[in-house]
Amino acid sequence: MAETSIEWTDATWNPVAGCSVMSAGCTNCYAMRMAARLDAMGMEKYRDLTRKTGGRAKWTGKLYLDEAAFDVPKNWKRPRNVFVNSMSDLFHPDVPINFIRRVWEAMSATRRHTYQILTKRPDRMAEVVGGTGFDVLPNVWLGTSVEDSRVLHRLDDLRQVPAAVRFVSFEPLIGSVAGGRLDGIQWAIVGGESGPNARYMDSAWIDEIFEMCGDANAAFFFKQWGGKNKKAAGRSYRGRTWDEMPSASA
């Protein structure tokens, strides 16, 4: 577990490390850069998970399944919001269902914590969680990432996932998501890309999501404008900070 500066959570927990590029939102993934640094520091968990191409770190597609991580949440006495697999995707096709089930068991055994799971593969999430006898845990929120209109189908896939809370991370928001709907989804996180190669985010794209949240009565969380200096750009939208969270159970 690592305490984190991510605005919408308290800590990260990574039973899996490593991933593979899925869509345009992955291009400048911070986790690829972080995994490369951790590998260079000699951390076995991140060994050979990335390779250098065009001067950048890129996922190799190799995964590390960390069974030692299952017992970690038991040691956290204070309740936390926990971002699960900030360095991977729990529903990557190479993560076995039995391994995912053990993650579920660890979350079920520590219901004082709220677990937030994001995937770019909500179709597999729906297949695994909805089709193989997984319990709907009240402390587990399930979400997907949507970066532009090319992947709006992920919202439909997410609606098929049985969950106490469903949520969407529109980060990095690199295009319009007009035409999307948030019915059946309780929370939206919006953020611009940050880092040296950050892509542009138009305020009109944020407006679209803000209106979707109003139509669906979904909580709205504005994470950042992003850019090369995200601290300077700040988090203010329409003259205020938006830190809305979903109800504990939808």
Side-chain angles (χ1 to χ4, degrees):
M1 187 274 293
E3 301 295 333
T4 180
S5 61
I6 297 173
E7 289 80 357
W8 47 267
T9 196
D10 301 318
T12 59
W13 176 48
N14 284 286
V16 183
C19 202
S20 53
V21 172
M22 182 74 176
S23 60
C26 303
T27 300
N28 297 318
C29 176
Y30 77 93
M32 292 192 292
R33 300 194 303 271
M34 178 63 72
R37 287 199 292 269
L38 294 172
D39 184 12
M41 292 167 59
M43 292 190 66
E44 183 65 24
K45 183 171 179 174
Y46 296 94
R47 184 177 179 182
D48 298 331
L49 299 187
T50 62
R51 59 182 174 84
K52 279 291 184 70
T53 177
R56 301 185 190 182
K58 184 176 180 179
W59 295 124
T60 61
K62 179 181 176 181
L63 304 183
Y64 184 96
L65 305 182
D66 186 4
E67 296 194 3
F70 291 135
D71 290 332
V72 171
K74 296 177 183 177
N75 298 321
W76 310 335
K77 303 304 180 186
R78 177 176 57 84
R80 292 173 167 87
N81 289 334
V82 182
F83 179 17
V84 180
N85 282 336
S86 62
M87 298 296 291
S88 185
D89 187 331
L90 185 61
F91 294 93
H92 187 285
D94 291 339
V95 180
I97 290 177
N98 285 342
F99 189 91
I100 299 173
R101 193 177 300 279
R102 293 181 66 187
V103 172
W104 237 249
E105 291 169 355
M107 297 188 297
S108 180
T110 52
R111 298 199 183 196
R112 63 186 173 278
H113 306 307
T114 297
Y115 294 93
Q116 302 155 310
I117 303 177
L118 268 176
T119 183
K120 284 185 170 64
R121 300 162 175 88
D123 52 343
R124 187 171 190 238
M125 178 188 275
E127 177 185 345
V128 171
V129 178
T132 57
F134 278 58
D135 292 335
V136 176
L137 299 177
N139 63 323
V140 175
W141 301 357
L142 300 179
T144 192
S145 300
V146 172
E147 64 264 25
D148 59 26
S149 61
R150 291 172 289 184
V151 292
L152 280 174
H153 58 86
R154 292 177 186 165
L155 298 179
D156 293 326
D157 291 332
L158 181 63
R159 275 184 274 269
Q160 303 305 311
V161 178
V165 169
R166 300 184 194 93
F167 70 104
V168 183
S169 174
F170 293 100
E171 183 190 12
L173 186 62
I174 57 173
S176 169
V177 291
R181 298 179 297 110
L182 293 178
D183 51 296
I185 297 169
Q186 290 76 41
W187 189 32
I189 304 164
V190 182
E193 192 166 59
S194 60
N197 300 298
R199 289 165 285 185
Y200 172 74
M201 179 176 67
D202 195 307
S203 61
W205 305 339
I206 309 170
D207 295 338
E208 294 167 356
I209 299 167
F210 186 80
E211 292 173 9
M212 286 180 210
C213 286
D215 292 341
N217 196 29
F220 177 82
F221 193 108
F222 185 67
K223 181 175 179 286
Q224 63 185 31
W225 284 97
K228 293 183 178 180
N229 187 339
K230 70 176 185 179
K231 289 186 178 180
R235 303 183 55 224
S236 180
Y237 169 68
R238 298 193 177 193
R240 56 163 283 193
T241 300
W242 300 83
D243 287 341
E244 294 178 356
M245 301 290 282
S247 60
S249 182

